[in-house]
Amino acid sequence: MFDAAMLLSLFLTACLGFACLALSQQRHWETATGGKPHPAALIWPLRSAGVVLLAVSCVIAIVRDGPDCGALLWGTTLSVAAFGIVATLAALNRRRSIRNTTIQPDDNEPQPARPSHV
């Protein structure tokens, strides 16, 4: 049970670290918040928190499996966590773009006939 809790905390800290690093960028902030402006005062705190959380995830992996297997576990976890954050941001961006898209008539479609008595 303790090993499972360590794995879960390793994965969550890595995900939160990458999320903080992503949110420190204006483009990802706007995607995640629905277009709200990025406050400049949050850039460095988010980046610092991201680096600290990734370092904590490294420590958790090394404590759980030792330096040899812990480094391998950490690298694998970083890859999975980064992919999860990228997929989440892509899904949010896609959802937002679909919601904001208006359907325009196609120029090649035949237009309805106008009444001749007008």
Side-chain angles (χ1 to χ4, degrees):
M1 185 68 174
F2 182 71
D3 285 342
M6 292 284 280
L7 278 176
L8 182 63
S9 63
L10 168 65
F11 182 70
L12 289 178
T13 54
C15 282
L16 288 174
F18 279 124
C20 286
L21 289 175
L23 288 175
S24 70
Q25 300 175 9
Q26 180 176 356
R27 177 180 180 180
H28 300 309
W29 177 272
E30 290 174 357
T31 298
T33 61
K36 294 181 183 173
H38 189 276
L42 286 181
I43 292 174
W44 286 108
L46 281 170
R47 288 183 184 170
S48 301
V51 169
V52 168
L53 285 167
L54 291 177
V56 168
S57 70
C58 179
V59 170
I60 291 171
I62 291 174
V63 166
R64 183 185 183 276
D65 283 349
D68 298 334
C69 290
L72 181 63
L73 176 65
W74 184 59
T76 305
T77 304
L78 288 181
S79 299
V80 173
F83 178 75
I85 297 300
V86 167
T88 301
L89 288 171
L92 285 173
N93 194 23
R94 174 82 174 147
R95 182 178 173 196
R96 184 173 163 216
S97 68
I98 288 174
R99 188 176 21 189
N100 292 338
T101 303
T102 58
I103 299 175
Q104 299 293 329
D106 190 10
D107 292 335
N108 297 331
E109 288 183 21
Q111 298 296 323
R114 293 184 182 178
S116 60
H117 65 279
V118 175

